[in-house]
């Protein structure tokens, strides 16, 4: 597919998934609004219609709770979904919005990035007005993250459910999930017969079992969700339940570091400063982040045991995106990006091919994801690795073009598409990558 057809197909996908005020990630598998999806979507939409890109962000902020949390999903009235509003019951939790239903946990904080990227496409006057409108909500959100998720002032944010990471069955989460799987699933796994549970999996109506999370992970995600719900999604209460993993997630904290920086920029542009307590908390994070480094990689940490979870994945490469790690460490990571393990034929594999978890077409256990490539390329570029960044963007575009659709993810071995079709953030970031590769 040539670039022009790719661009117009991407535009069409965003139109098809447009819900008016927000964009759903995919027609059937994901019919609601998701936090980091909407951020990536707005980064594509800014090229098509900056005002609509703004409304994508405003519509996310409608879901903000009175304590500052921005939820990972806002439910669309009437859309059928297996983990829908009737399961979450946000209405029963104090502080949730009155007029809509949301999930009760968050997702990677990419909003500041989205705000700045959209801001670049507005006139100075419009941008400043936009910044002034969103800044208080963003400050509340970052304050909530530190208050609720870092009560011991470690500098790093802890997550209470894999869904919050955005990469729910990446090996370090899967590793923890194996231990806390429901008994029924554990027993079936021992006999290698977990597949009998597949017929009750609603997600398999929209994608084949080979490309979705394993049955163990799927049912454990649900069980963990009910355990967290029983504690009203509150960090201190969740901490009292031993069989709920709590993780200082490397991807989430990488994105937070960059978001903190951008938050400062947004405030500066409109001539204000961030609350000093928030600034103090923010300042600690890049230092604390360095404690995740060992043996040439950044890892996530098990918050309960204080141990690093040394199961490699592309999440560790997101340290490149922080902008705060040293040039030396960034160079080490840039080498890893281009290694055969992370870039066998197509980069970047979400899990290196040498990992026992590696599976080229299964969700977060191997495939190339366009949002991770976008973030990694952005980080590489800021560390002076423009050539790799450019190769990555161009190869990503060629790979998506060959697949003749905007798929959720792609095999790093042969570039074949997998997951759902018509996936919005693939479409949005394809548009952004076409624009950025044409301007270099
Ligand atoms: C899956 C992904 C998550 C994404 C959501 C909607 O759950 O793991 O990152 O936000 O789908 O696209």
């Amino acid at each position: 597919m040539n670039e022009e057809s790719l661009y117009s197909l991407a535009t069409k996908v965003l139109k098809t998934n447009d819900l008016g005020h927000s964009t759903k990630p995919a027609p059937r598998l994901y019919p609601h609004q998701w936090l980091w999806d909407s951020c990536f979507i707005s980064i594509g939409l800014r090229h098509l219609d900056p005002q609509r890109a703004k409304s994508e962000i405003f519509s996310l902020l409608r879901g903000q709770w009175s304590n500052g949390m921005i939820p990972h999903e806002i439910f669309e009235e009437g859309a059928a979904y297996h983990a829908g509003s009737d399961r979450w019951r946000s209405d029963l939790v104090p502080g949730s919005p009155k007029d809509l239903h949301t999930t009760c946990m968050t997702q990677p904080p990419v909003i500041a990035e989205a705000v700045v990227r959209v801001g670049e496409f507005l006139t100075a006057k419009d941008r400043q007005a936009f910044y002034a409108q969103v800044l208080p909500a963003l400050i509340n959100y970052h304050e909530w993250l530190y208050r609720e998720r870092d009560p011991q002032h470690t500098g790093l944010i802890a997550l209470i459910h894999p869904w919050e990471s955005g990469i729910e069955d990446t090996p370090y989460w899967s590793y923890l999930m194996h231990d806390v799987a429901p008994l029924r699933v554990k027993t079936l796994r021992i006999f290698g017969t977990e597949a009998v549970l597949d017929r009750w999996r609603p997600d398999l109506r929209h994608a084949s079992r080979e490309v979705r999370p394993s049955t163990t992970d799927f049912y454990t995600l649900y069980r963990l969700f009910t355990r967290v719900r029983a504690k009203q999604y509150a960090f201190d209460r969740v901490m009292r339940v031993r069989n709920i993993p709590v993780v200082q997630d490397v991807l989430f904290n990488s994105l937070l570091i960059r978001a903190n920086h951008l938050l400062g920029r947004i405030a500066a542009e409109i001539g204000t400063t961030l609350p000093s307590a928030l600034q103090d908390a923010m300042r600690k994070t890049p230092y604390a982040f360095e404690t995740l480094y060992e043996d040439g990689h950044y890892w996530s940490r098990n918050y309960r045991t204080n141990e690093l979870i040394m199961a490699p994945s592309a999440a560790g490469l997101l340290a490149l995106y922080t902008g705060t790690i040293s040039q030396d460490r960034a160079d080490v990571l840039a080498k890893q990006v281009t290694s055969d393990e992370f870039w066998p034929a197509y980069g970047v594999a979400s899990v290196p091919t040498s990992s026992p978890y590696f599976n080229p077409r299964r969700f977060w256990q191997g495939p190339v994801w366009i949002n991770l490539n976008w973030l990694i390329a952005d980080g590489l570029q800021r560390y002076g690795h423009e050539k790799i960044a450019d190769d990555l963007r161009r190869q990503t575009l060629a790979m998506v073009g060959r697949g003749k659709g905007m798929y959720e993810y792609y095999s790093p071995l042969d570039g074949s598409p997998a997951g759902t079709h018509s996936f919005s953030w693939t479409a949005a970031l394809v548009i952004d990558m076409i624009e950025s590769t044409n301007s270099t």
Side-chain angles (χ1 to χ4, degrees), residues 314-336:
L317 301 175
L318 266 297
L320 279 165
Y321 173 75
T322 59
T324 56
I325 63 168
S326 69
Q327 183 69 44
D328 284 355
R329 288 191 176 177
D331 295 346
V332 170
L333 297 186
K335 269 217 179 77
Q336 287 169 20

Side-chain angles (χ1 to χ4, degrees), residues 184-242:
R184 182 173 63 130
V185 174
K186 272 188 181 160
T187 315
L188 290 171
R189 198 171 70 218
I190 292 169
F191 295 105
T193 49
E194 302 144 278
V196 299
L197 296 175
D198 283 356
R199 73 160 100 155
W200 290 285
R201 284 183 57 171
D203 60 320
L204 299 187
R205 269 183 242 136
H206 308 296
S208 66
R209 71 184 300 267
E210 294 76 30
V211 305
R212 294 289 299 162
S214 70
T215 299
T216 299
D217 283 358
F218 186 84
Y219 283 101
T220 311
L221 284 164
Y222 271 88
R223 181 55 63 85
L224 287 177
F225 159 67
T226 52
R227 287 180 196 150
V228 170
R229 183 182 58 190
K231 298 295 151 199
Q232 293 233 306
Y233 313 96
F235 190 75
D236 54 343
R237 298 183 64 193
V238 164
M239 277 306 288
R240 283 184 229 130
V241 184
R242 294 211 61 77

Side-chain angles (χ1 to χ4, degrees), residues 24-26 29-30 32-38 40 72-73 81 107-108 162-163 165-169 212-213 363-364 369 371 408-409 420 423-425:
K24 55 184 169 178
L29 190 58
Y30 307 118
H32 305 286
Q33 180 176 23
W34 264 259
L35 196 169
W36 75 334
D37 296 68
S38 272
F40 295 121
H72 101 290
E73 279 172 59
Y81 189 57
Q107 233 190 358
W163 282 332
S165 71
I167 53 173
E168 53 260 38
D169 69 339
R212 294 289 299 162
F363 215 47
W364 293 102
W369 285 76
N371 65 335
E408 199 177 359
Y409 35 90
T420 179
F423 192 60
S424 295
W425 87 39

Side-chain angles (χ1 to χ4, degrees), residues 88 273 348:
W88 288 84
T273 49
V348 176

